[in-house]
């Protein structure tokens, strides 16, 4: 009796909701039937109570039921597609709250230098130069000197040696420094006597010569010479980025800097022809009062919900300073590792105020980049001034990065209702140099997630891709552990600032939606909201902490449409959060997975002595194990190999993947 009553109640509640969403249904005599149903799942709704469910029902692009197994039966008709989740975990579609969507896509069209050794990058430049026409530009992105054996900034002479006849422009991972050769300086007319512009610097050697590294606004005279991508290439890049985002379960992304041209020539046509399905929150780039973007803000109202809730244009991006890694973040006091240097404010106080005022007075939200404590202080002063001059209800002004602040300014921002948009992997990347840059006292106000949340604020999380890898599970892992993907330091870097797993998930879902004014539309799995969700291969809330970074998305659904399905036909081995690359496919046998020996030892940086048996050595640990030869390729058992090296090995059946953990 009670079971039947519960099903009837669920049906009536859903009908009331549906009538409000779809008034024409009020005339229908038959019960509402779902287009699709997902059942027998472990569903984290991320609603206010962080409740769980086992079933979802979808009609159109909306959820019409979220609850238990018995209640969902009422929505199943003869044509309803029913998917048995088999107990797998479901979370809301993830929201990337700060990245460069077009930048991620375009980075896939040039040299991938992401965190690679310097000699590998130079070899890639050499290879490009050997096939390029003389004078053609060679581009790349992603180098990070702090992960090199010699952490000094690189030199132009190193590039001259491998590309003497081609200008080279390699962007540092943070996007606030470039590494160029002499040819690039020559074409731009830059010499050792060229003065630094406001907000940028030409780094010099001790004897006053150009080093080869350039920061922020000083990059413009060089980057302005590089032929831009064509409109077709830009569209291709955007779709490549979408493909990557969907593969991680990201259904929404904020683009931190969009030109009017990109908006009109790239985004809109792709939405109009139906090929772009990613939900985007576009921040209009603003760098001067005379730009096309400034005119756009004066003549166009902030709006959202374009293309069936796929595009919002109601926020503005401007830069206050550079980056900590490039020592161009604007600091109130000298850098601890560079006396007499405080970084670079991109604008004077008056210039910054005028830009903020233009956007704010025209009704736009601000999403302004600020890394250093001086840049954050300047920005808060401007926000405070425009809000006092022209009070607006619920402006939700944001600061992008919100990385280093005085404790007083953290409190001031929270009191003002300013939303911190932070990238948790920045902390685990920057920990390699952050305290060298700013010392132990200022670090108390840096990457201070726990402090911010405990003071009553929320955090909008993202990756700043292509500055970092766009993988959201790396971010969730960093938020929960404050460790690198290598598990360092073992106790976490300033672990008192960790988030809980629930907080970290909210930072990628409900909090991210709030930062876009879309909390009534997405970010949680609740009746009436968009049917955006991702099916995972493991339980994010209960899996081993070290395995969070290895989570694999199995299925991504956006507005009820399946936009990504993982191919699980071939086993994957996840090492330090990334899948190992094999030239020959792994072999699966009952109860065992075998991986190519040479590809594996090369991928993990181990040494091997091979014969009928193989002895593999990594970090002073060795294991000897039998070798299986198939079609001329030597294979070893993945569990025997890694457990022999002292690592935890966990197989996740849903994704047919193996997570390799830290030393036991």
């Amino acid at each position: 009796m009670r079971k039947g009553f519960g099903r009837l109640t669920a049906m009536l509640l859903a009908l009331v909701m549906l009538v409000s969403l779809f008034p024409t249904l009020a005339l229908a005599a038959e019960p509402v039937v779902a287009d699709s149903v997902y059942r027998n799942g472990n569903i984290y709704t991320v609603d206010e109570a962080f409740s769980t469910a086992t079933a979802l029902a979808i009609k159109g692009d909306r959820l019409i039921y979220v609850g238990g197994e018995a209640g969902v039966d009422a929505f199943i008709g003869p044509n309803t597609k029913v998917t048995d989740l088999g107990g797998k975990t479901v979370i809301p579609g993830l929201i990337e709250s700060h990245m460069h969507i077009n930048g991620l896509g375009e980075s896939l069209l040039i040299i991938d230098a992401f965190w690679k050794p310097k000699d590998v990058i130079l070899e890639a430049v050499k290879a490009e130069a050997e096939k390029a026409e003389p004078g053609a530009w060679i581009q790349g992105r992603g180098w990070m000197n702090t992960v090199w054996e010699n952490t000094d900034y690189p030199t132009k002479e190193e590039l001259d040696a491998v590309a003497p006849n081609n200008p080279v422009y390699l962007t540092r991972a943070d996007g606030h420094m470039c590494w160029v050769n002499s040819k690039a300086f020559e074409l731009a007319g830059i010499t050792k006597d060229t003065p630094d512009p406001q907000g940028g610097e030409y780094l010099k050697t001790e004897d006053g010569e150009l080093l080869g590294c350039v920061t922020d606004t000083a990059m413009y005279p060089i980057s302005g010479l590089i032929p831009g991508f064509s409109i077709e290439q830009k569209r291709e890049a955007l779709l490549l980025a979408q493909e990557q985002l969907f593969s991680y379960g990201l259904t929404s992304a904020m683009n931190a800097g969009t030109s009017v041209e990109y908006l009109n020539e790239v985004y809109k046509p792709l939405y109009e022809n139906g090929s772009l399905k990613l939900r985007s929150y576009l921040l209009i780039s603003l760098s001067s009062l005379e730009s096309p973007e400034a005119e756009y803000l004066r003549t166009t109202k902030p709006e959202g919900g374009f293309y069936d809730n796929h595009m919002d244009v109601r926020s503005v991006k401007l830069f206050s300073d550079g980056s900590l890694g490039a020592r161009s973040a604007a600091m109130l006091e000298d850098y601890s590792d560079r006396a007499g240097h405080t970084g670079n404010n991109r604008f004077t106080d008056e210039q910054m105020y005028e830009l903020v005022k233009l956007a704010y007075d025209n009704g736009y939200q601000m999403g302004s980049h600020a890394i250093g404590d001086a840049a954050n202080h300047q920005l808060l002063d401007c926000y405070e001034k425009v809000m006092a001059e022209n009070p607006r209800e619920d402006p939700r002004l944001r600061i992008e990065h919100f990385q280093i602040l005085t404790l007083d300014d953290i409190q001031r921002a929270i009191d003002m209702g300013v939303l911190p948009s932070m990238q948790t992997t920045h902390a685990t990347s920057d920990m390699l140099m952050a305290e060298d840059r700013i010392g132990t006292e200022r670090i108390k106000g840096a990457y201070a997630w726990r402090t911010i949340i405990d003071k009553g604020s929320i955090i909008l999380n993202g990756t700043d891709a292509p500055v970092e890898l766009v993988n959201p599970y790396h971010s969730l892992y960093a938020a929960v552990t404050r460790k690198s993907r290598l598990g360092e330091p073992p106790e976490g870097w300033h672990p008192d600032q960790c988030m809980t797993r629930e907080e970290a998930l909210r930072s990628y879902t409900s909090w991210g939606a709030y930062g876009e004014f879309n909390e009534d539309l997405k970010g949680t799995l609740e009746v009436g909201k968009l049917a955006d969700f991702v099916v995972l291969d493991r339980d994010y809330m209960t899996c081993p902490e070290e395995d969070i970074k290895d989570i694999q998305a199995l299925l991504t659904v956006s507005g009820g449409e399946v936009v990504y399905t993982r191919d699980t036909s071939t086993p994957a081995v996840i090492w330090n959060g990334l899948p190992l690359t094999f030239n020959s496919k792994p072999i699966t046998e009952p109860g065992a997975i075998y991986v190519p020996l040479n590809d594996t030892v090369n991928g993990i940086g181990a040494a091997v002595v091979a014969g009928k048996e193989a002895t593999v050595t990594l970090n002073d640990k060795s294991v000897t194990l039998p070798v299986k030869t198939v079609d001329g390729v030597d294979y070893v058992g993945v569990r025997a190999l890694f457990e022999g090296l002292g690592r935890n090995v966990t197989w996740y059946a849903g994704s047919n993947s193996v997570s390799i953990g830290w030393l036991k």
Side-chain angles (χ1 to χ4, degrees), residues 134-135 137 160 163-168 180-188:
W137 283 85
D160 292 344
N165 302 313
N166 296 85
V168 180
V180 300
N181 64 351
S182 297
K183 196 75 172 176
F185 278 134
E186 178 188 334
L187 290 173

Side-chain angles (χ1 to χ4, degrees), residues 109-122:
L109 304 178
I110 58 179
I111 291 174
D112 176 11
F114 190 83
W115 281 42
K116 292 184 176 177
K118 187 196 291 185
D119 61 338
V120 172
I121 297 170
L122 291 171

Side-chain angles (χ1 to χ4, degrees), residues 8 81 94 96 145 247 259 342 399 499 505 535:
L8 178 61
K81 181 180 178 181
L94 297 174
E96 162 63 73
N145 57 296
S247 74
S259 67
T342 58
I399 293 182
M499 297 187 201
L505 185 55
V535 182

Side-chain angles (χ1 to χ4, degrees), residues 245-451:
L245 289 163
F246 281 159
S247 74
Y248 291 118
L250 290 155
T251 53
S252 300
M254 182 269 256
N255 193 56
T258 309
S259 67
V260 171
E261 179 192 35
Y262 224 100
L263 171 65
N264 292 328
E265 301 297 330
V266 182
Y267 278 95
K268 288 183 178 180
L270 291 178
Y271 278 125
E272 286 164 5
N273 69 24
S275 56
L276 188 59
K277 300 179 180 182
L278 178 74
R279 302 191 196 281
S280 63
Y281 192 73
L282 305 181
L283 272 61
I284 296 296
S285 294
L286 182 62
S287 58
S288 81
L289 297 175
E290 292 76 37
S291 64
E293 288 69 37
E295 186 60 23
Y296 178 92
L297 299 181
R298 294 186 185 101
T299 58
T300 311
K301 292 181 179 180
E303 291 188 68
F306 296 108
Y307 307 110
D308 294 325
N309 295 307
H310 279 86
M311 187 180 82
D312 293 327
V313 189
R314 52 183 170 216
S315 192
V316 172
K317 167 72 179 293
L318 59 82
F319 282 96
S320 301
D321 64 347
S323 74
L324 191 63
R327 293 193 186 90
S328 58
M331 303 300 299
L332 293 169
E333 298 178 3
D334 289 358
Y335 276 79
S336 300
D337 58 358
R338 186 177 169 187
H341 181 69
T342 58
N344 309 104
N345 283 97
R346 189 67 70 93
F347 301 104
T348 65
D349 291 349
E350 183 59 29
Q351 289 170 334
M352 175 68 77
Y353 165 73
E354 292 296 337
L355 291 168
V356 170
K357 180 177 174 61
L358 170 65
Y360 180 87
D361 284 354
N362 281 285
Y364 283 84
Q365 178 193 45
M366 295 299 301
S368 307
H369 166 114
I371 299 286
D373 52 13
N376 278 283
H377 187 82
Q378 180 191 53
L379 201 55
L380 287 171
D381 283 349
C382 291
Y383 283 2
E384 201 166 44
K385 186 174 181 180
V386 298
M387 290 169 72
E389 293 170 343
N390 180 16
R392 265 172 47 193
E393 184 179 353
D394 194 19
R396 297 192 200 181
L397 302 185
R398 303 164 52 136
I399 293 182
E400 306 304 313
H401 308 309
F402 203 78
Q403 198 160 298
I404 305 162
L405 291 87
T406 65
L407 295 178
D408 286 344
D409 271 347
I410 289 176
Q411 186 63 61
R412 177 163 69 129
I414 293 171
D415 291 344
M416 291 167 58
V418 172
L419 300 177
S421 172
M422 306 178 77
Q423 298 73 51
T424 49
T425 49
H426 279 353
T428 53
S429 296
D430 290 357
M431 69 181 179
L432 298 171
M433 53 77 187
E435 289 190 66
D436 290 338
R437 294 283 193 272
I438 63 175
T440 56
E441 188 59 34
R442 285 183 288 185
I443 207 72
K444 295 176 183 177
Y447 319 92
W449 316 324
R450 180 82 269 137
T451 298

